[in-house]
Amino acid sequence: MARSVLLFGMMLRSLAFTRAFSSLKPAPSNFQRRVVHYATSDELKMDNIYMEWSLEDDKILHNNRHLSPVRLASMLGRGMHGVEARMKKLTNVDSTAYRRLFGGEDIQNTDTDENISNKLTPVKEVLRRIQWDPTLPASSFSIIHYDRVEDTLCETPFEAENDSISGKERQFVFALPEHRIEAVKYLDRIVWNKELRLDSVFGSMNGKGETIDKVIENYDDWRREKEEKEERNRLRQVEILKEMHTILGEMRVATLKEMSSNLLRKEWDSEEVKDYVKRVLMLYFDAQKEREDNGSDVANALDEEEEDTFDIIYVLNLFSDLVALLPDERLRGEVLLEVESVINRNQETGGNSSDKTSQPSALPELNEDELEEKFVKGSGAGGQKVNKTSNRVILVHTPTGLRVECQDTRSLQQNRKIARKRLRLKLDAFINGDASRAGQKATKAVTKKAKNKARSKRRRRQKNQSDDESNN
């Protein structure tokens, strides 16, 4: 009797797996740990390379827009300035990037697919499928989890034995508490990630319907695309180092490389990361001082117009591009976080001497006796709460005749506050002109555009020189 029950259970399980996973292909059975090699400038010849944003990059950026620029930069291997600029394009309905992301049929079909679950599959379900699905090679999977002793993220093979957690469970992945598992990998590809809400095992959430059978089937293509991206990153690393050579000089760039290598090789903490960023800033200040006082070879190679482009904000953004290519993701995030804090401090204080502008004056106060305020019915989207109520504010400053309107929210009181703020800004521009906040913002935009133009001119000249040298 017991044998019959056992045989019946085995037949049911075999039938279920045959129906669900009949299309799966076998995958490599050995778990491999790969080490990425980063080429030096001597190994690669570099032209000016633009790191194009792929549609997949845009999807990742849009799906994780709730994360900080530092986290996004670390995730995508790009500088913070580039991530922020791309995010602005993806939120601008008139931009080509926005139309490409939301205008394609593949995206629309993906978003409206009723088969995609709006809840992330729990990691225990993912692990159980890997354990019991005979078409999935368990030795090709691993988990990324938080180690409380080392206070860091670790990677452990799926089949590793449990020798550190108390209890009867022999397999480590099932003995480990679920909340400590951050991600699941198939070979080199992450197929489940808690923070990114990604599930490419069952296809839920940001897995966008892609299941593990498709992942295994297309793994070679994915691996090839990843290697091509790594090659572009290596070329981009050389490009950035060339730019750093122009700013810091050869000796200081060699020092920067040595500092970065030392930080990667040892166990680091937040204090060491702060010290690392400070030492990078000292290299920049030393180069600036040498350029101003001694007229170094770097300064002689530049026009006066271009020399001003090397302000500290530009150098920090360039450095963040370089940091985004570091192989250690945790270190990458920590350094980018420190760089972001330095950029914010410098922007608050006006940056360095070549980038300082007069601080904006305080906004003028409004005298309620000099204001004419009307409430009229709103229009546009919002339903009856907008179209049937008088929540649109019209505010007029009688001495100057300045007029503003506000219907940004459904709340009348909020619209009144916003209208007064806008009127203060408008009055500030009327009284202070170029010294007003709006005027200084416009001046800063013009200055930035001029700097970008000068930088592009210098890069074109460097490219032409390198082309001439290669032809000769």
Side-chain angles (χ1 to χ4, degrees):
M1 181 65 181
R3 184 177 178 182
S4 300
V5 172
L6 178 62
L7 288 173
F8 181 68
M10 292 176 64
M11 289 174 61
L12 286 178
R13 192 179 73 175
S14 176
L15 180 62
F17 280 132
T18 301
R19 288 178 178 176
F21 312 122
S22 60
S23 61
L24 290 177
K25 293 184 178 180
S29 60
N30 58 329
F31 174 77
Q32 301 174 353
R33 188 186 298 270
R34 292 179 173 85
V35 179
V36 178
H37 170 66
Y38 283 79
T40 63
S41 57
D42 296 331
E43 296 172 349
L44 296 169
K45 185 176 179 181
M46 180 63 205
D47 292 325
N48 189 18
I49 291 180
Y50 167 68
M51 193 173 179
E52 185 178 359
W53 285 85
S54 66
L55 182 59
E56 188 63 29
D57 290 338
D58 285 345
K59 289 179 181 178
I60 294 173
L61 189 61
H62 182 265
N63 291 336
N64 299 283
R65 59 191 181 276
H66 60 282
L67 301 177
S68 67
V70 170
R71 184 70 183 87
L72 291 171
S74 177
M75 184 192 308
L76 293 166
R78 294 175 180 267
M80 292 181 295
H81 182 71
V83 167
E84 291 172 351
R86 190 64 179 181
M87 183 62 79
K88 288 181 181 178
K89 290 184 179 180
L90 293 180
T91 54
N92 180 7
V93 294
D94 296 325
S95 70
T96 306
Y98 182 93
R99 290 196 296 271
R100 183 180 75 161
L101 181 60
F102 297 103
E105 294 182 0
D106 56 335
I107 298 175
Q108 292 174 353
N109 292 340
T110 301
D111 290 342
T112 58
D113 192 349
E114 296 179 356
N115 295 325
I116 299 176
S117 172
N118 59 358
K119 292 183 179 181
L120 182 67
T121 304
V123 69
K124 288 296 184 183
E125 293 294 327
V126 173
L127 297 178
R128 276 196 288 269
R129 176 167 179 179
I130 297 171
Q131 181 186 27
W132 294 109
D133 187 346
T135 61
L136 298 183
S139 58
S140 297
F141 289 86
S142 62
I143 64 167
I144 298 174
H145 61 94
Y146 175 70
D147 189 318
R148 292 184 298 180
V149 177
E150 299 293 336
D151 192 25
T152 185
L153 291 177
C154 301
E155 183 173 349
T156 302
F158 180 83
E159 295 181 327
E161 293 184 359
N162 176 28
D163 56 3
S164 58
I165 301 177
S166 60
K168 297 181 180 180
E169 182 60 57
R170 293 184 177 182
Q171 199 165 342
F172 179 79
V173 294
F174 293 105
L176 189 70
E178 185 174 354
H179 67 273
R180 285 171 55 187
I181 301 177
E182 296 294 327
V184 179
K185 290 177 67 176
Y186 169 74
L187 296 180
D188 284 343
R189 182 172 180 179
I190 293 179
V191 294
W192 187 91
N193 187 292
K194 179 168 62 177
E195 183 178 6
L196 302 182
R197 316 298 293 168
L198 168 69
D199 172 24
S200 294
V201 177
F202 292 93
S204 65
M205 292 293 287
N206 290 335
K208 301 296 182 183
E210 183 183 29
T211 53
I212 190 62
D213 56 325
K214 294 296 182 183
V215 170
I216 296 175
E217 180 181 352
N218 301 324
Y219 180 79
D220 290 339
D221 293 336
W222 175 87
R223 180 67 190 172
R224 184 167 54 255
E225 291 176 2
K226 182 183 179 184
E227 289 174 351
E228 291 173 356
K229 184 176 181 180
E230 289 172 353
E231 179 68 12
R232 290 195 300 270
N233 285 342
R234 287 193 288 268
L235 294 175
R236 180 161 174 76
Q237 185 180 42
V238 176
E239 177 194 10
I240 296 170
L241 287 174
K242 278 188 175 182
E243 189 81 6
M244 298 293 274
H245 269 287
T246 308
I247 300 171
L248 302 178
E250 185 176 356
M251 295 297 295
R252 294 185 183 87
V253 170
T255 303
L256 175 61
K257 289 181 179 179
E258 184 180 358
M259 288 163 45
S260 302
S261 298
N262 292 338
L263 191 63
L264 282 168
R265 281 196 297 264
K266 65 181 181 180
E267 294 292 332
W268 51 269
D269 56 26
S270 58
E271 290 301 321
E272 287 179 308
V273 169
K274 290 181 180 179
D275 183 62
Y276 169 69
V277 175
K278 285 180 182 178
R279 291 170 66 189
V280 172
L281 289 174
M282 290 305 300
L283 293 176
Y284 163 74
F285 290 131
D286 288 344
Q288 282 287 85
K289 189 174 185 302
E290 182 179 350
R291 188 178 295 115
E292 293 171 0
D293 298 343
N294 303 328
S296 66
D297 294 337
V298 177
N300 293 333
L302 300 172
D303 297 330
E304 289 183 359
E305 176 190 23
E306 295 167 348
E307 194 173 337
D308 289 337
T309 64
F310 297 144
D311 59 71
I312 191 170
I313 303 298
Y314 169 71
V315 174
L316 285 170
N317 280 319
L318 185 66
F319 177 60
S320 78
D321 287 339
L322 190 62
V323 169
L325 301 176
L326 290 175
D328 187 335
E329 186 173 352
R330 273 191 69 242
L331 178 60
R332 196 160 68 210
E334 284 289 330
V335 177
L336 286 173
L337 193 63
E338 181 63 21
V339 171
E340 183 189 43
S341 67
V342 175
I343 290 176
N344 291 338
R345 287 197 300 269
N346 277 274
Q347 286 177 337
E348 290 172 1
T349 58
N352 62 0
S353 59
S354 64
D355 194 44
K356 283 184 179 177
T357 57
S358 58
Q359 293 297 319
S361 57
L363 292 176
E365 296 295 333
L366 298 177
N367 187 348
E368 292 293 330
D369 295 335
E370 297 175 346
L371 302 179
E372 291 183 3
E373 190 173 27
K374 296 180 182 178
F375 309 125
V376 299
K377 289 183 179 180
S379 60
Q384 293 185 1
K385 184 66 177 176
V386 170
N387 295 283
K388 297 292 185 179
T389 58
S390 300
N391 65 342
R392 184 183 184 90
V393 179
I394 300 176
L395 200 60
V396 179
H397 187 247
T398 51
T400 59
L402 297 176
R403 170 191 170 103
V404 295
E405 297 183 12
C406 180
Q407 189 195 322
D408 289 13
T409 71
R410 295 182 177 185
S411 168
L412 176 63
Q413 296 303 321
Q414 287 295 327
N415 289 337
R416 293 184 69 192
K417 291 179 182 179
I418 296 171
R420 279 162 172 75
K421 183 177 181 180
R422 289 179 181 172
L423 186 58
R424 291 178 68 192
L425 289 169
K426 209 167 185 178
L427 188 59
D428 178 40
F430 181 83
I431 297 172
N432 298 316
D434 292 340
S436 65
R437 294 191 179 184
Q440 290 196 28
K441 186 176 181 181
T443 303
K444 187 177 180 180
V446 171
T447 304
K448 183 177 180 180
K449 186 176 180 180
K451 289 180 178 181
N452 291 337
K453 185 176 179 181
R455 185 160 58 250
S456 299
K457 177 182 174 183
R458 184 181 71 256
R459 286 178 174 172
R460 285 196 303 269
R461 188 179 65 192
Q462 290 175 345
K463 187 177 186 299
N464 293 335
Q465 288 176 352
S466 91
D467 290 342
D468 293 340
E469 290 174 1
S470 60
N471 292 333
N472 295 333

